[in-house]
Amino acid sequence: MSELITNIGELFTGSSGILRDAALVIDDGLVAWVGPRTAAPPADTVFDAEGAAVVPGFVDSHSHLVFAGDRADEFDARMSGQPYTAGGIRRTVAATRAASDEELAAHTGRLLDEALRSGTTTIEIKSGYGLTVEDERRSLAIASRFTTETTFLGAHVVPAEHQPAAYVDLVTGEMLDRVAGLARWIDVFCDRGAFDVDQARTILSAGAARGLGVRMHANQLGPSGAARLGVELGAASVDHCTFLSDEDVDALAASETVATFVPGAEFSTRQPFPDIGRLRDAGVRYAIATDCNPGSSYTSSMPFCIALAVREMRMTPTEALLAATAGGARALRRTDVGHLSPGARADVVLLDAPSFVHLAYRPGVQLVRHVWQHGRRTTAWSR
């Protein structure tokens, strides 16, 4: 059945600007029409937006949702002055290995329901808290129940039972063999305490040879060659980008690679927020994502990340919303989501506000009133 959403006070299309006093028609899970309210075609059902704002569903292109356990004590320690390091990942690995498939799937589902209530309708989910052949396989199998955007992150850190060289061999050999059919992407945490540039090149190249798209954790803890490696390998996205050199920015600007920022991580680790001005001036494509994980960014809220991007990274509200929608879609090399144009997937968010600017203007307030995912109004993630 088709549905007309009418009396939209402000429609942020993400592709053709902002429409006032607008309407939108959904048919067969897709956007069938957008335009002035007074010109709307008939539909089987009508929903009155009552003058509120409508935006595209958020596209969260970086998350780590398949895990068990809690690391609130680490957050407390950081807020008391201790620095962030990558070592805490191994705690989550131990808890995840000990959890059953049912426990992991239930927890992932709860986080996705939470994300949807904040307006997220498309999400990428990484493995990376198993770090054995079987635990990485089952993590990706669980992620695949919820999304097609699954990423093999066997190279998150080197587990305690392995030496680095032997573990790289495992990731690029038996582990990749077992998981390649369950993943769309391959990722590496290329930073101190994890994997260096040469190791990352070996791992990502092996994944690309198996047909997986490339993405990276890059330049989170300090300057490195990771972002430029991502560009060299044609990565869809390099993520974090907290410490970028002028050379990194130039390389990104000359490429199709998206710089994905995860401001929730800077909030949670008290690291400096990235400088968006240099990237904006250079013409770099960028996105924002939650990086939802139990250690460094335990938020599923894209509106919170939008508010941080505006306040702390000095994005305009328009830039931040585009980064959270069309930018996230670009980071996943998707053209069917992140905008509300005819033919796009009908992922629609109705705000309890007259303008999308309220996403940053009223931080911490639940402003999402209704969500349509794949054309269906819902309060639970599509399974």
Side-chain angles (χ1 to χ4, degrees):
M1 294 179 65
S2 60
E3 182 172 20
L4 169 65
I5 305 175
T6 190
N7 197 19
I8 300 170
E10 177 186 272
L11 175 58
F12 187 102
T13 66
S15 57
S16 54
I18 297 172
L19 305 179
R20 314 283 180 186
D21 192 18
L24 178 151
V25 175
I26 297 170
D27 193 8
D28 196 25
L30 302 176
V31 177
W33 182 89
V34 295
R37 174 186 57 80
T38 55
D44 296 318
T45 63
V46 177
F47 185 94
D48 185 357
E50 300 177 335
V54 164
V55 302
F58 303 126
V59 181
D60 188 351
S61 61
H62 183 131
S63 81
H64 306 252
L65 301 188
V66 184
F67 68 88
D70 182 274
R71 285 156 60 189
D73 57 331
E74 290 182 25
F75 177 80
D76 184 45
R78 286 197 301 274
M79 297 306 104
S80 301
Q82 294 185 21
Y84 171 71
T85 66
I89 292 169
R90 294 181 180 89
R91 290 182 60 195
T92 301
V93 169
T96 303
R97 289 176 177 178
S100 68
D101 287 7
E102 293 73 19
E103 289 169 331
L104 292 174
H107 186 244
T108 301
R110 284 193 296 272
L111 289 173
L112 285 167
D113 289 346
E114 182 181 274
L116 182 128
R117 291 193 296 270
S118 292
T120 297
T121 51
T122 302
I123 200 163
E124 178 262 15
I125 302 177
K126 304 178 192 296
S127 66
Y129 290 124
L131 308 189
T132 67
V133 173
E134 175 55 26
D135 286 307
E136 286 295 293
R137 184 208 63 78
R138 71 183 184 122
S139 293
L140 284 165
I142 290 165
S144 297
R145 300 182 194 179
F146 302 99
T147 183
T148 58
E149 300 295 344
T150 52
T151 298
F152 170 44
L153 183 58
H156 203 178
V157 294
V158 178
E161 65 270 22
H162 286 281
Q163 293 299 311
Y167 188 65
V168 170
D169 289 343
L170 177 65
V171 170
T172 57
E174 182 185 359
M175 192 178 288
L176 181 58
D177 289 341
R178 287 289 300 279
V179 307
L182 292 167
R184 184 183 177 203
W185 305 97
I186 187 166
D187 194 345
V188 173
F189 184 11
C190 183
D191 224 317
R192 64 174 183 266
F195 296 86
D196 64 27
V197 168
D198 291 336
Q199 292 167 330
R201 179 182 285 107
T202 297
I203 294 164
L204 295 172
S205 297
R210 296 295 298 271
L212 302 184
V214 172
R215 46 203 327 109
M216 289 186 72
H217 288 59
N219 298 60
Q220 177 185 3
L221 303 180
S224 73
R228 276 168 284 159
L229 174 63
V231 170
E232 173 192 326
L233 296 179
S237 180
V238 292
D239 300 5
H240 286 281
C241 296
T242 310
F243 297 95
L244 293 177
S245 67
D246 290 342
E247 292 78 10
D248 296 328
V249 173
D250 290 342
L252 287 164
S255 76
E256 296 295 317
T257 300
V258 174
T260 296
F261 298 107
V262 289
E266 275 71 55
F267 174 86
S268 182
T269 62
R270 283 188 170 161
Q271 295 222 118
F273 284 85
D275 175 8
I276 192 63
R278 290 187 302 153
L279 282 80
R280 179 195 292 124
D281 293 344
V284 173
R285 299 164 177 82
Y286 55 86
I288 57 177
T290 64
D291 188 22
C292 183
N293 76 84
S296 61
S297 183
Y298 202 2
T299 180
S300 60
S301 173
M302 287 292 278
F304 175 62
C305 293
I306 288 171
L308 287 176
V310 171
R311 174 63 180 82
E312 301 295 344
M313 295 179 63
R314 298 185 182 276
M315 289 188 193
T316 68
T318 298
E319 287 174 329
L321 181 53
L322 284 171
T325 52
R330 190 177 295 115
L332 294 173
R333 295 194 168 160
R334 298 275 295 270
T335 59
D336 60 325
V337 296
H339 61 101
L340 295 174
S341 306
R345 203 171 76 178
D347 293 339
V348 181
V349 174
L350 176 68
L351 301 178
D352 192 10
S355 171
F356 74 91
V357 176
H358 283 232
L359 291 166
Y361 177 48
R362 302 193 68 207
V365 177
Q366 176 58 24
L367 292 178
V368 173
R369 187 192 302 174
H370 293 291
V371 177
W372 286 257
Q373 186 181 37
H374 302 206
R376 184 174 67 92
R377 187 153 56 100
T378 183
T379 57
W381 190 267
S382 177
R383 290 165 167 81

